[in-house]
Amino acid sequence: MLKRMLPKILLLAAIVSGLVVAAGVYRFNFTNDDIYVVQADGQTVPLATEDNTSVMRTLFSFYTDKYWQIELPDSSKKVPLTEMKDFNGQHLAVGYYQQGDERGVVSVDYARMAVLNFTFVEDEMMFAVPFSVSSQGSGVFWYLGLYHMNTKYGDIKQLDTFFVGDRVVINTMQTDEPFDVTSSIQLTYLAHGPSQSMAESPNKHIEKLIKVTPEGFVE
């Protein structure tokens, strides 16, 4: 089993190697067609953009014209990830969308990607990863996405989505060991307490064990 899992472990190691991730709370502002990030302390700073960067090439070493697409929750719309963005030590894969008059941003915190031991087929891998959705309205909504990937051709399919919270700060995400017995993800994050306003930095510590099957998340 270890031999069959080794290529997937090496792929994950290549994705996260050398990355140091700083957790933050983000809100995107589309004034004058510029994208800004609002930190928890209220300071507004533009995000640095790496032009002409291939997400698939950078994350998975695939030289392909295919995109990793994120399905918007409660929608059939798929948002292709087109850029890599760095801000204050955090590394994000980002895609932009427009739905009617609404414009928004999807950001994947790919350094927290967790490979799941559901398949031992040579060219298949399943993984979970946090992502956020932010639009011109208030809120930065964080989710976990569950994905199936063909590691030979680079095809990625989204299987399910789990809602975490609005303007939360994800601290840790890892598989519960041994995963082949428990099939769960351990998630720790900060959420807003009952006496806090959403403009404040969240301070309520939450630990959650999320059950996962090959078909999706289990409430």
Side-chain angles (χ1 to χ4, degrees):
M1 183 174 69
L2 179 60
K3 183 178 180 180
R4 287 177 291 182
M5 285 298 298
L6 185 58
K8 301 170 186 179
I9 295 172
L10 292 176
L11 177 61
L12 178 62
I15 295 170
V16 302
S17 176
L19 298 181
V20 178
V21 180
V25 179
Y26 302 99
R27 179 177 175 182
F28 290 91
N29 183 337
F30 290 87
T31 304
N32 297 325
D33 294 327
D34 291 325
I35 306 297
Y36 294 88
V37 62
V38 178
Q39 303 177 79
D41 60 7
Q43 294 183 344
T44 304
V45 181
L47 277 168
T49 301
E50 298 179 15
D51 295 327
N52 302 319
T53 299
S54 167
V55 172
M56 293 296 289
R57 183 176 68 248
T58 302
L59 296 186
F60 305 110
S61 298
F62 283 117
Y63 288 80
T64 176
D65 58 358
K66 299 175 183 176
Y67 289 101
W68 178 4
Q69 299 188 86
I70 305 298
E71 295 182 14
L72 291 182
D74 303 318
S75 171
S76 59
K77 188 173 186 61
K78 297 181 179 181
V79 182
L81 300 176
T82 57
E83 296 181 336
M84 308 294 292
K85 290 183 176 292
D86 293 338
F87 175 73
N88 197 27
Q90 182 151 12
H91 307 273
L92 304 170
V94 176
Y96 306 93
Y97 70 91
Q98 182 162 353
Q99 201 166 27
D101 294 331
E102 177 185 353
R103 292 187 297 166
V105 178
V106 173
S107 302
V108 174
D109 187 358
Y110 59 83
R112 300 191 191 276
M113 184 183 298
V115 174
L116 310 178
N117 299 340
F118 281 134
T119 175
F120 299 106
V121 179
E122 182 178 358
D123 296 322
E124 292 183 2
M125 181 178 76
M126 291 184 64
F127 63 91
V129 68
F131 71 89
S132 68
V133 178
S134 177
S135 66
Q136 291 163 288
S138 61
V140 180
F141 301 99
W142 280 93
Y143 304 85
L144 296 187
L146 181 64
Y147 299 90
H148 175 275
M149 179 179 185
N150 182 299
T151 58
K152 184 176 182 179
Y153 299 108
D155 297 318
I156 302 178
K157 178 182 179 181
Q158 187 163 330
L159 303 176
D160 199 10
T161 303
F162 181 91
F163 178 64
V164 179
D166 179 13
R167 280 166 279 193
V168 301
V169 176
I170 296 178
N171 291 326
T172 63
M173 173 180 159
Q174 59 189 15
T175 57
D176 188 35
E177 298 296 345
F179 186 81
D180 56 352
V181 175
T182 61
S183 301
S184 299
I185 290 175
Q186 292 180 329
L187 187 69
T188 66
Y189 59 95
L190 297 177
H192 288 84
S195 62
Q196 283 192 287
S197 71
M198 295 303 288
E200 296 179 281
S201 300
N203 61 15
K204 182 180 179 181
H205 179 76
I206 296 178
E207 297 182 6
K208 186 171 290 187
L209 196 65
I210 304 168
K211 180 76 173 179
V212 192
T213 73
E215 289 74 37
F217 297 105
V218 179
E219 295 286 349

